[in-house]
Amino acid sequence: MLSPNRVLVEKFPLLQSLINLEETCWFNPKITSFTEALPDVGLTAADIKDASDRLQRFAPYLVKAFPETAETNGIIESDVVEISQMKNILQQDCSTEITGRLLLKKDSHLPISGSIKARGGIYEVLTHAEKLVIKAGLLSIDDDYSKLFSDDFRKFFKGYSIAVGSTGNLGLSIGIISAKLGFVVSVHMSADARQWKKDKLRAHGVTVVEYQQDYGVAVEQGRKEAEKNPNCFFIDDENSQTLFLGYSVAGERVKAQFDSAGIKVDTQHPLFVYLPCGVGGGPGGVAFGLKMAFGDNVHCIFAEPTHSPCMLLGVHTGLHDQISVQDLGIDNRTAADGLAVGRASGFVGRAMQRLLDGYYTISDQRMYQLLAELNSQEKIRLEPSALAGMIGPAIVHSNVEYLHRMNFTDEKLANATHLVWATGGGMVPKIEMEKYLSKIND
Ligand SMILES: *Cc1c(COP(=O)(O)O)cnc(C)c1O
Protein backbone atom coordinates (compact mmCIF):
# COMPACT_ATOMS: atom_id res chain seq x y z
CA MET A 1 0.00 0.00 0.00
CA LEU A 2 1.19 3.55 -0.72
CA SER A 3 1.82 5.83 2.25
CA PRO A 4 -0.60 8.75 2.56
CA ASN A 5 2.23 11.05 1.38
CA ARG A 6 2.84 8.96 -1.73
CA VAL A 7 -0.85 9.15 -2.59
CA LEU A 8 -0.75 12.91 -2.19
CA VAL A 9 2.38 13.26 -4.32
CA GLU A 10 0.83 11.12 -7.05
CA LYS A 11 -2.16 13.38 -7.07
CA PHE A 12 -0.05 16.56 -6.88
CA PRO A 13 3.31 15.88 -8.57
CA LEU A 14 4.50 19.40 -7.77
CA LEU A 15 4.84 18.32 -4.13
CA GLN A 16 7.84 16.22 -5.09
CA SER A 17 9.83 19.37 -5.87
CA LEU A 18 8.74 20.89 -2.57
CA ILE A 19 9.91 17.74 -0.76
CA ASN A 20 13.20 17.93 -2.69
CA LEU A 21 13.54 21.53 -1.45
CA GLU A 22 13.82 22.75 -5.04
CA GLU A 23 12.86 26.29 -5.93
CA THR A 24 9.35 25.78 -7.25
CA CYS A 25 6.63 27.98 -8.65
CA TRP A 26 2.94 27.48 -9.22
CA PHE A 27 0.56 29.83 -10.96
CA ASN A 28 -2.96 28.91 -9.97
CA PRO A 29 -5.17 28.23 -13.01
CA LYS A 30 -8.29 28.64 -10.84
CA ILE A 31 -7.95 32.34 -10.18
CA THR A 32 -10.92 34.46 -11.11
CA SER A 33 -12.08 38.05 -11.25
CA PHE A 34 -12.11 40.22 -8.18
CA THR A 35 -15.89 40.63 -8.20
CA GLU A 36 -16.45 36.89 -8.41
CA ALA A 37 -13.95 35.99 -5.69
CA LEU A 38 -14.73 38.81 -3.28
CA PRO A 39 -17.43 36.85 -1.40
CA ASP A 40 -14.77 34.21 -0.51
CA VAL A 41 -13.13 36.80 1.73
CA GLY A 42 -16.23 37.72 3.70
CA LEU A 43 -14.97 41.26 4.20
CA THR A 44 -15.83 44.41 2.30
CA ALA A 45 -14.61 47.87 1.37
CA ALA A 46 -16.55 49.16 4.38
CA ASP A 47 -14.44 46.96 6.67
CA ILE A 48 -11.23 48.40 5.25
CA LYS A 49 -12.62 51.91 5.63
CA ASP A 50 -13.45 51.17 9.26
CA ALA A 51 -9.84 50.10 9.82
CA SER A 52 -8.51 53.12 7.99
CA ASP A 53 -10.71 55.46 10.06
CA ARG A 54 -9.62 53.80 13.29
CA LEU A 55 -5.95 54.31 12.40
CA GLN A 56 -6.76 57.93 11.68
CA ARG A 57 -8.40 58.34 15.10
CA PHE A 58 -5.30 56.93 16.77
CA ALA A 59 -2.90 59.12 14.78
CA PRO A 60 -2.77 61.90 17.42
CA TYR A 61 -1.95 59.27 20.06
CA LEU A 62 0.83 57.77 17.94
CA VAL A 63 2.40 61.18 17.33
CA LYS A 64 2.71 61.62 21.09
CA ALA A 65 3.69 58.08 22.00
CA PHE A 66 6.09 57.58 19.08
CA PRO A 67 7.52 60.94 17.99
CA GLU A 68 9.10 59.28 14.94
CA THR A 69 5.57 59.15 13.46
CA ALA A 70 5.14 62.95 13.70
CA GLU A 71 6.55 63.35 10.20
CA THR A 72 3.58 61.45 8.76
CA ASN A 73 1.10 62.90 11.31
CA GLY A 74 0.79 59.63 13.17
CA ILE A 75 0.11 57.52 10.10
CA ILE A 76 2.34 54.43 9.96
CA GLU A 77 3.36 54.28 6.31
CA SER A 78 6.42 53.49 4.21
CA ASP A 79 7.95 54.84 1.01
CA VAL A 80 7.93 53.29 -2.43
CA VAL A 81 11.29 53.65 -4.19
CA GLU A 82 12.56 52.68 -7.63
CA ILE A 83 15.43 50.16 -7.62
CA SER A 84 16.72 50.18 -11.20
CA GLN A 85 20.29 49.10 -10.36
CA MET A 86 18.84 46.06 -8.64
CA LYS A 87 16.75 45.37 -11.71
CA ASN A 88 19.91 45.16 -13.82
CA ILE A 89 21.51 42.74 -11.37
CA LEU A 90 18.37 40.58 -11.26
CA GLN A 91 18.33 40.32 -15.04
CA GLN A 92 21.95 39.16 -14.97
CA ASP A 93 21.49 36.77 -12.04
CA CYS A 94 18.43 35.12 -13.55
CA SER A 95 19.41 35.49 -17.24
CA THR A 96 15.91 36.82 -17.88
CA GLU A 97 14.81 40.09 -19.34
CA ILE A 98 12.63 42.07 -16.94
CA THR A 99 10.68 44.83 -18.62
CA GLY A 100 8.71 47.57 -16.92
CA ARG A 101 9.89 49.25 -13.74
CA LEU A 102 11.00 47.69 -10.50
CA LEU A 103 9.87 49.32 -7.26
CA LEU A 104 10.39 48.47 -3.61
CA LYS A 105 7.77 49.01 -0.88
CA LYS A 106 9.81 49.73 2.21
CA ASP A 107 7.69 48.27 5.00
CA SER A 108 11.09 47.27 6.30
CA HIS A 109 11.38 50.86 7.42
CA LEU A 110 7.94 51.39 8.89
CA PRO A 111 8.13 53.39 12.13
CA ILE A 112 7.72 51.80 15.57
CA SER A 113 8.73 48.23 14.72
CA GLY A 114 10.53 48.15 11.36
CA SER A 115 8.48 45.47 9.64
CA ILE A 116 5.18 44.79 7.90
CA LYS A 117 3.86 43.79 11.37
CA ALA A 118 3.66 47.49 12.20
CA ARG A 119 0.48 47.37 10.11
CA GLY A 120 -1.53 44.40 11.39
CA GLY A 121 -0.04 43.90 14.83
CA ILE A 122 -0.30 47.49 15.96
CA TYR A 123 -3.75 47.84 14.44
CA GLU A 124 -5.10 44.87 16.36
CA VAL A 125 -3.80 46.17 19.69
CA LEU A 126 -5.26 49.62 19.03
CA THR A 127 -8.61 48.05 18.15
CA HIS A 128 -8.63 46.09 21.40
CA ALA A 129 -7.58 49.12 23.46
CA GLU A 130 -10.28 51.28 21.89
CA LYS A 131 -12.94 48.69 22.64
CA LEU A 132 -11.91 48.49 26.30
CA VAL A 133 -11.84 52.23 26.99
CA ILE A 134 -15.06 52.93 25.11
CA LYS A 135 -16.81 50.18 27.06
CA ALA A 136 -15.47 51.64 30.30
CA GLY A 137 -16.88 55.03 29.30
CA LEU A 138 -13.45 56.64 29.27
CA LEU A 139 -13.34 57.56 25.60
CA SER A 140 -15.68 58.31 22.73
CA ILE A 141 -14.72 58.07 19.08
CA ASP A 142 -14.99 61.83 18.65
CA ASP A 143 -12.37 62.50 21.31
CA ASP A 144 -8.80 63.49 20.67
CA TYR A 145 -7.09 60.13 21.19
CA SER A 146 -3.86 61.76 22.31
CA LYS A 147 -5.43 61.72 25.77
CA LEU A 148 -4.67 57.99 25.85
CA PHE A 149 -1.05 58.98 26.35
CA SER A 150 -1.41 59.56 30.08
CA ASP A 151 -0.82 57.86 33.42
CA ASP A 152 -4.57 57.46 33.98
CA PHE A 153 -5.00 55.42 30.83
CA ARG A 154 -1.80 53.46 31.43
CA LYS A 155 -3.13 52.57 34.87
CA PHE A 156 -6.38 51.41 33.30
CA PHE A 157 -4.63 49.19 30.74
CA LYS A 158 -2.44 47.67 33.48
CA GLY A 159 -5.54 45.73 34.47
CA TYR A 160 -5.51 43.89 31.15
CA SER A 161 -3.04 41.65 29.43
CA ILE A 162 -2.20 40.65 25.89
CA ALA A 163 -0.51 37.48 24.63
CA VAL A 164 0.81 36.49 21.23
CA GLY A 165 2.89 33.75 19.59
CA SER A 166 5.49 34.86 17.07
CA THR A 167 8.66 34.12 15.10
CA GLY A 168 9.85 37.60 16.08
CA ASN A 169 8.42 40.57 14.25
CA LEU A 170 4.79 40.20 15.27
CA GLY A 171 5.94 39.92 18.86
CA LEU A 172 8.05 43.02 18.41
CA SER A 173 5.14 45.07 17.08
CA ILE A 174 2.59 43.87 19.57
CA GLY A 175 4.99 44.01 22.47
CA ILE A 176 6.10 47.57 21.79
CA ILE A 177 2.65 49.08 21.23
CA SER A 178 1.01 47.12 24.06
CA ALA A 179 3.70 48.08 26.56
CA LYS A 180 3.46 51.72 25.48
CA LEU A 181 -0.29 51.77 26.08
CA GLY A 182 0.25 50.18 29.50
CA PHE A 183 -0.90 46.59 28.95
CA VAL A 184 0.75 43.65 30.64
CA VAL A 185 2.08 41.76 27.64
CA SER A 186 3.69 38.40 27.02
CA VAL A 187 5.20 37.25 23.76
CA HIS A 188 5.70 33.55 23.08
CA MET A 189 8.70 33.25 20.79
CA SER A 190 9.54 30.28 18.56
CA ALA A 191 13.07 28.85 18.38
CA ASP A 192 13.89 30.82 15.20
CA ALA A 193 13.29 34.20 16.84
CA ARG A 194 16.43 36.33 16.90
CA GLN A 195 18.02 37.10 20.25
CA TRP A 196 18.08 40.84 19.60
CA LYS A 197 14.30 40.87 19.11
CA LYS A 198 13.83 39.17 22.48
CA ASP A 199 16.29 41.57 24.12
CA LYS A 200 14.56 44.58 22.66
CA LEU A 201 11.18 43.40 23.92
CA ARG A 202 12.49 42.75 27.41
CA ALA A 203 13.94 46.25 27.42
CA HIS A 204 10.38 47.48 26.77
CA GLY A 205 9.12 45.57 29.82
CA VAL A 206 7.60 42.74 27.84
CA THR A 207 7.60 39.17 29.19
CA VAL A 208 9.25 36.95 26.58
CA VAL A 209 8.62 33.22 26.82
CA GLU A 210 11.05 31.18 24.73
CA TYR A 211 10.39 27.82 23.09
CA GLN A 212 12.71 25.28 21.51
CA GLN A 213 9.97 24.46 19.00
CA ASP A 214 8.60 26.29 16.00
CA TYR A 215 5.95 28.95 15.53
CA GLY A 216 2.98 26.54 15.75
CA VAL A 217 3.96 25.54 19.29
CA ALA A 218 4.62 29.12 20.39
CA VAL A 219 1.15 30.13 19.19
CA GLU A 220 -0.53 27.21 20.95
CA GLN A 221 1.18 28.02 24.25
CA GLY A 222 0.23 31.68 23.96
CA ARG A 223 -3.36 30.68 23.33
CA LYS A 224 -3.38 28.39 26.36
CA GLU A 225 -1.98 31.02 28.68
CA ALA A 226 -4.56 33.52 27.53
CA GLU A 227 -7.42 31.08 28.10
CA LYS A 228 -6.53 30.91 31.80
CA ASN A 229 -7.04 34.62 32.29
CA PRO A 230 -10.35 36.27 31.36
CA ASN A 231 -8.63 39.67 31.19
CA CYS A 232 -6.04 38.38 28.75
CA PHE A 233 -6.56 38.98 25.05
CA PHE A 234 -4.86 36.53 22.70
CA ILE A 235 -3.82 37.82 19.30
CA ASP A 236 -4.46 35.02 16.88
CA ASP A 237 -2.05 35.40 13.98
CA GLU A 238 -3.53 32.34 12.28
CA ASN A 239 -7.15 33.45 12.11
CA SER A 240 -7.57 37.09 13.02
CA GLN A 241 -9.68 39.18 10.67
CA THR A 242 -8.65 42.27 12.62
CA LEU A 243 -4.97 41.73 11.85
CA PHE A 244 -5.89 41.06 8.23
CA LEU A 245 -7.80 44.34 8.01
CA GLY A 246 -4.90 46.26 9.55
CA TYR A 247 -2.70 45.01 6.72
CA SER A 248 -5.34 45.67 4.08
CA VAL A 249 -5.25 49.44 4.57
CA ALA A 250 -1.95 49.32 2.65
CA GLY A 251 -3.91 48.96 -0.61
CA GLU A 252 -5.47 52.43 -0.66
CA ARG A 253 -2.22 53.92 0.63
CA VAL A 254 -0.22 52.41 -2.26
CA LYS A 255 -2.87 53.64 -4.68
CA ALA A 256 -2.51 57.18 -3.33
CA GLN A 257 1.30 56.93 -3.57
CA PHE A 258 1.07 55.72 -7.17
CA ASP A 259 -1.40 58.45 -8.06
CA SER A 260 0.86 61.16 -6.75
CA ALA A 261 3.88 59.64 -8.49
CA GLY A 262 1.94 59.36 -11.76
CA ILE A 263 2.26 55.57 -11.91
CA LYS A 264 -0.49 54.15 -14.06
CA VAL A 265 -2.22 50.85 -13.30
CA ASP A 266 -4.84 49.57 -15.75
CA THR A 267 -5.33 46.67 -18.20
CA GLN A 268 -2.52 47.95 -20.38
CA HIS A 269 -0.32 48.72 -17.35
CA PRO A 270 -0.45 45.69 -15.07
CA LEU A 271 0.88 45.82 -11.52
CA PHE A 272 2.68 42.77 -10.12
CA VAL A 273 3.23 42.60 -6.38
CA TYR A 274 5.57 40.10 -4.72
CA LEU A 275 4.82 39.35 -1.09
CA PRO A 276 6.86 37.21 1.34
CA CYS A 277 4.49 34.81 3.11
CA GLY A 278 4.70 33.22 6.53
CA VAL A 279 1.36 32.25 8.04
CA GLY A 280 -0.33 34.42 5.42
CA GLY A 281 -2.06 37.23 7.31
CA GLY A 282 0.36 39.98 6.30
CA PRO A 283 0.61 39.24 2.59
CA GLY A 284 -3.03 38.10 2.46
CA GLY A 285 -4.33 41.30 4.04
CA VAL A 286 -2.12 43.49 1.86
CA ALA A 287 -3.21 41.58 -1.25
CA PHE A 288 -6.86 41.99 -0.28
CA GLY A 289 -6.37 45.74 0.11
CA LEU A 290 -4.53 45.92 -3.22
CA LYS A 291 -7.32 44.03 -4.96
CA MET A 292 -9.84 46.44 -3.47
CA ALA A 293 -7.77 49.38 -4.73
CA PHE A 294 -6.68 48.13 -8.17
CA GLY A 295 -9.13 45.30 -8.93
CA ASP A 296 -8.11 42.84 -11.63
CA ASN A 297 -5.16 44.98 -12.71
CA VAL A 298 -3.06 43.97 -9.73
CA HIS A 299 -1.48 40.52 -9.67
CA CYS A 300 -0.29 39.25 -6.31
CA ILE A 301 2.32 36.53 -5.96
CA PHE A 302 3.44 34.98 -2.68
CA ALA A 303 7.03 33.99 -1.92
CA GLU A 304 8.11 31.41 0.66
CA PRO A 305 11.38 29.73 1.70
CA THR A 306 12.04 26.29 0.16
CA HIS A 307 12.04 24.93 3.73
CA SER A 308 8.66 26.48 4.69
CA PRO A 309 6.31 26.43 1.71
CA CYS A 310 3.14 26.20 3.82
CA MET A 311 0.83 28.43 1.77
CA LEU A 312 1.79 26.93 -1.58
CA LEU A 313 1.22 23.49 -0.06
CA GLY A 314 -2.12 24.39 1.52
CA VAL A 315 -3.62 26.11 -1.50
CA HIS A 316 -2.23 23.72 -4.11
CA THR A 317 -3.62 20.65 -2.36
CA GLY A 318 -6.78 22.41 -1.16
CA LEU A 319 -5.97 21.09 2.32
CA HIS A 320 -5.11 24.55 3.70
CA ASP A 321 -4.46 24.32 7.45
CA GLN A 322 -5.16 20.57 7.42
CA ILE A 323 -1.60 19.91 6.26
CA SER A 324 1.82 21.13 7.40
CA VAL A 325 5.18 21.08 5.64
CA GLN A 326 6.40 18.71 8.36
CA ASP A 327 3.74 16.22 7.23
CA LEU A 328 5.77 15.94 4.02
CA GLY A 329 9.05 15.67 5.90
CA ILE A 330 10.04 19.29 5.18
CA ASP A 331 11.85 20.71 8.21
CA ASN A 332 10.61 24.34 8.38
CA ARG A 333 14.13 25.52 9.15
CA THR A 334 15.10 28.70 7.40
CA ALA A 335 17.20 31.81 7.93
CA ALA A 336 14.12 33.75 6.87
CA ASP A 337 12.77 33.72 10.42
CA GLY A 338 9.70 35.83 9.60
CA LEU A 339 8.62 33.12 7.17
CA ALA A 340 9.41 30.06 9.31
CA VAL A 341 5.84 28.77 9.45
CA GLY A 342 4.95 25.15 8.77
CA ARG A 343 1.17 25.43 8.62
CA ALA A 344 -0.60 28.24 6.79
CA SER A 345 -3.58 30.20 8.01
CA GLY A 346 -6.70 28.35 6.90
CA PHE A 347 -8.63 31.59 6.89
CA VAL A 348 -6.25 33.37 4.52
CA GLY A 349 -5.80 30.41 2.16
CA ARG A 350 -9.53 29.90 1.75
CA ALA A 351 -10.33 33.61 1.56
CA MET A 352 -7.66 34.54 -0.96
CA GLN A 353 -6.93 31.48 -3.09
CA ARG A 354 -8.91 32.65 -6.11
CA LEU A 355 -7.35 36.13 -5.89
CA LEU A 356 -3.66 35.22 -5.81
CA ASP A 357 -2.00 34.63 -9.16
CA GLY A 358 0.81 32.46 -7.93
CA TYR A 359 3.29 31.18 -5.37
CA TYR A 360 6.96 30.31 -5.49
CA THR A 361 9.72 29.17 -3.18
CA ILE A 362 13.24 30.56 -2.83
CA SER A 363 16.34 29.15 -1.14
CA ASP A 364 17.97 30.77 1.88
CA GLN A 365 21.21 31.08 -0.05
CA ARG A 366 19.51 33.13 -2.73
CA MET A 367 17.84 35.39 -0.15
CA TYR A 368 21.29 36.10 1.33
CA GLN A 369 22.69 36.80 -2.11
CA LEU A 370 19.87 39.24 -2.90
CA LEU A 371 20.30 40.86 0.51
CA ALA A 372 23.96 41.60 -0.29
CA GLU A 373 23.14 42.77 -3.81
CA LEU A 374 20.40 45.14 -2.68
CA ASN A 375 22.84 46.57 -0.16
CA SER A 376 25.62 47.08 -2.69
CA GLN A 377 23.40 48.31 -5.52
CA GLU A 378 20.85 50.43 -3.72
CA LYS A 379 22.23 50.89 -0.20
CA ILE A 380 19.07 49.38 1.26
CA ARG A 381 19.43 46.85 4.05
CA LEU A 382 16.77 44.25 4.73
CA GLU A 383 16.43 41.08 6.76
CA PRO A 384 16.53 37.78 4.81
CA SER A 385 12.73 37.23 4.80
CA ALA A 386 12.23 40.56 3.10
CA LEU A 387 14.20 39.46 0.06
CA ALA A 388 11.89 36.56 -0.75
CA GLY A 389 9.88 38.70 -3.17
CA MET A 390 12.87 40.07 -5.03
CA ILE A 391 13.17 37.37 -7.71
CA GLY A 392 9.43 37.47 -8.40
CA PRO A 393 9.73 39.59 -11.56
CA ALA A 394 12.15 37.06 -13.08
CA ILE A 395 9.80 34.21 -12.23
CA VAL A 396 6.86 35.95 -13.86
CA HIS A 397 8.88 36.81 -16.95
CA SER A 398 10.05 33.26 -17.44
CA ASN A 399 6.68 31.55 -16.99
CA VAL A 400 5.32 31.24 -20.49
CA GLU A 401 2.18 29.35 -19.48
CA TYR A 402 1.14 32.08 -17.04
CA LEU A 403 1.97 34.97 -19.38
CA HIS A 404 0.06 33.35 -22.19
CA ARG A 405 -2.97 32.37 -20.11
CA MET A 406 -3.25 35.88 -18.69
CA ASN A 407 -2.67 37.51 -22.07
CA PHE A 408 0.33 39.49 -20.84
CA THR A 409 1.71 40.59 -24.19
CA ASP A 410 5.20 42.07 -24.59
CA GLU A 411 3.57 45.44 -24.90
CA LYS A 412 1.73 45.09 -21.59
CA LEU A 413 4.84 43.75 -19.88
CA ALA A 414 6.83 46.73 -21.12
CA ASN A 415 4.29 48.95 -19.31
CA ALA A 416 4.24 46.84 -16.16
CA THR A 417 5.14 47.88 -12.64
CA HIS A 418 6.79 45.27 -10.42
CA LEU A 419 6.44 46.06 -6.73
CA VAL A 420 8.56 44.00 -4.37
CA TRP A 421 7.24 44.16 -0.82
CA ALA A 422 10.20 44.55 1.56
CA THR A 423 8.72 43.24 4.80
CA GLY A 424 11.40 43.80 7.41
CA GLY A 425 14.90 44.76 8.41
CA GLY A 426 14.81 48.39 9.46
CA MET A 427 15.56 47.63 13.09
CA VAL A 428 18.21 44.94 12.64
CA PRO A 429 21.22 45.96 14.78
CA LYS A 430 24.35 46.82 12.81
CA ILE A 431 26.31 43.84 14.06
CA GLU A 432 23.52 41.44 13.04
CA MET A 433 23.36 43.08 9.63
CA GLU A 434 27.10 42.56 9.16
CA LYS A 435 26.52 38.86 9.81
CA TYR A 436 23.75 38.75 7.19
CA LEU A 437 25.97 40.53 4.69
CA SER A 438 28.84 38.13 5.28
CA LYS A 439 26.68 35.03 4.68
CA ILE A 440 27.16 35.42 0.98
CA ASN A 441 30.80 34.43 1.45
CA ASP A 442 30.07 31.34 3.53
C1 LIG B 1 5.67 38.19 9.39
C2 LIG B 1 6.53 38.48 8.28
C3 LIG B 1 6.18 38.16 6.98
C4 LIG B 1 4.94 37.40 6.58
O1 LIG B 1 3.75 37.71 7.25
P1 LIG B 1 2.73 36.55 7.62
O2 LIG B 1 1.55 37.25 8.15
O3 LIG B 1 3.39 35.68 8.66
O4 LIG B 1 2.48 35.77 6.38
C5 LIG B 1 7.07 38.48 5.98
N1 LIG B 1 8.23 39.10 6.24
C6 LIG B 1 8.60 39.44 7.48
C7 LIG B 1 9.90 40.14 7.69
C8 LIG B 1 7.76 39.15 8.54
O5 LIG B 1 8.13 39.47 9.77
Side-chain angles (χ1 to χ4, degrees):
M1 218 180 77
L2 289 174
S3 72
N5 277 352
R6 274 287 121 219
V7 174
L8 205 60
V9 173
E10 294 218 339
K11 194 166 169 202
F12 303 103
L14 188 82
L15 301 191
Q16 192 59 55
S17 8
L18 295 185
I19 293 168
N20 296 347
L21 306 173
E22 290 159 13
E23 294 190 327
T24 305
C25 73
W26 176 57
F27 287 90
N28 189 354
K30 290 193 197 138
I31 56 160
T32 182
S33 72
F34 177 59
T35 36
E36 205 182 313
L38 183 58
D40 297 357
V41 186
L43 296 165
T44 63
D47 295 313
I48 299 180
K49 180 165 189 308
D50 181 58
S52 180
D53 291 349
R54 182 165 294 104
L55 288 168
Q56 193 65 57
R57 290 199 291 278
F58 272 98
Y61 167 78
L62 293 176
V63 169
K64 267 199 168 167
F66 300 96
E68 68 265 35
T69 64
E71 212 179 308
T72 50
N73 300 314
I75 294 299
I76 302 167
E77 194 44 74
S78 69
D79 292 339
V80 173
V81 296
E82 183 145 19
I83 45 170
S84 35
Q85 297 302 321
M86 189 65 199
K87 184 181 150 184
N88 295 337
I89 290 287
L90 271 181
Q91 298 189 94
Q92 284 171 30
D93 284 354
C94 304
S95 323
T96 312
E97 191 189 9
I98 298 168
T99 56
R101 67 208 289 195
L102 181 63
L103 306 178
L104 188 74
K105 178 65 175 158
K106 288 174 70 182
D107 273 13
S108 46
H109 293 75
L110 280 172
I112 302 177
S113 67
S115 82
I116 187 171
K117 306 298 193 308
R119 297 184 186 276
I122 290 176
Y123 175 70
E124 176 136 17
V125 174
L126 296 178
T127 304
H128 180 60
E130 185 185 54
K131 203 182 287 169
L132 290 174
V133 287
I134 287 180
K135 194 166 162 220
L138 300 171
L139 182 87
S140 90
I141 65 164
D142 303 317
D143 288 351
D144 176 348
Y145 279 28
S146 65
K147 77 183 208 187
L148 292 168
F149 191 67
S150 68
D151 285 339
D152 284 350
F153 277 95
R154 276 186 286 270
K155 219 190 227 154
F156 172 82
F157 289 123
K158 271 274 168 282
Y160 297 88
S161 60
I162 288 183
V164 67
S166 169
T167 61
N169 286 336
L170 184 64
L172 210 51
S173 282
I174 286 179
I176 292 172
I177 183 73
S178 302
K180 185 69 87 173
L181 280 158
F183 285 107
V184 175
V185 51
S186 59
V187 174
H188 298 256
M189 288 284 207
S190 60
D192 357 70
R194 294 283 179 262
Q195 190 59 43
W196 69 265
K197 292 181 183 173
K198 300 175 196 171
D199 295 344
K200 195 169 200 94
L201 279 173
R202 288 187 173 123
H204 277 85
V206 174
T207 302
V208 177
V209 190
E210 301 181 56
Y211 295 89
Q212 291 313 309
Q213 297 96 333
D214 81 351
Y215 164 86
V217 173
V219 170
E220 257 341 285
Q221 292 305 315
R223 199 190 304 271
K224 272 195 198 135
E225 186 204 289
E227 275 164 5
K228 283 188 245 155
N229 175 358
N231 277 344
C232 182
F233 179 64
F234 174 68
I235 296 189
D236 185 349
D237 193 20
E238 292 171 322
N239 298 294
S240 168
Q241 292 196 349
T242 310
L243 267 178
F244 187 85
L245 285 169
Y247 291 116
S248 73
V249 175
E252 62 182 35
R253 304 254 185 92
V254 167
K255 186 159 194 306
Q257 288 177 320
F258 276 24
D259 286 347
S260 69
I263 299 169
K264 241 201 243 172
V265 178
D266 58 29
T267 357
Q268 295 307 315
H269 300 76
L271 168 61
F272 296 91
V273 185
Y274 307 96
L275 295 146
C277 178
V279 73
V286 167
F288 176 58
L290 288 167
K291 280 284 170 186
M292 201 58 91
F294 296 104
D296 294 330
N297 299 318
V298 63
H299 304 274
C300 299
I301 292 147
F302 281 15
E304 295 175 294
T306 47
H307 286 252
S308 309
C310 65
M311 189 60 82
L312 200 172
L313 175 64
V315 175
H316 185 71
T317 58
L319 293 169
H320 299 292
D321 53 352
Q322 302 303 303
I323 189 166
S324 72
V325 302
Q326 289 94 340
D327 292 340
L328 292 185
I330 301 171
D331 63 7
N332 190 31
R333 286 184 187 276
T334 168
D337 41 300
L339 312 180
V341 177
R343 188 186 299 278
S345 158
F347 154 60
V348 173
R350 290 185 187 93
M352 295 299 294
Q353 55 186 334
R354 295 201 296 163
L355 292 168
L356 303 173
D357 283 31
Y359 312 76
Y360 68 83
T361 62
I362 174 171
S363 72
D364 284 14
Q365 191 50 46
R366 202 195 288 264
M367 284 187 257
Y368 278 130
Q369 183 190 335
L370 294 163
L371 189 153
E373 286 171 345
L374 187 71
N375 176 55
S376 65
Q377 297 303 312
E378 308 281 353
K379 301 278 168 283
I380 299 172
R381 294 179 162 199
L382 305 178
E383 62 184 278
S385 299
L387 276 304
M390 192 59 81
I391 52 157
I395 288 175
V396 160
H397 270 272
S398 47
N399 199 290
V400 180
E401 180 279 324
Y402 170 62
L403 296 178
H404 186 76
R405 167 161 58 83
M406 301 293 285
N407 190 27
F408 290 130
T409 58
D410 288 349
E411 196 189 342
K412 282 187 198 170
L413 289 175
N415 294 333
T417 300
H418 299 276
L419 180 64
V420 173
W421 212 277
T423 45
M427 283 174 59
V428 176
K430 201 162 182 289
I431 182 160
E432 298 293 327
M433 187 54 75
E434 297 301 334
K435 285 188 212 159
Y436 286 151
L437 289 167
S438 69
K439 286 287 183 206
I440 184 70
N441 301 319
D442 274 7

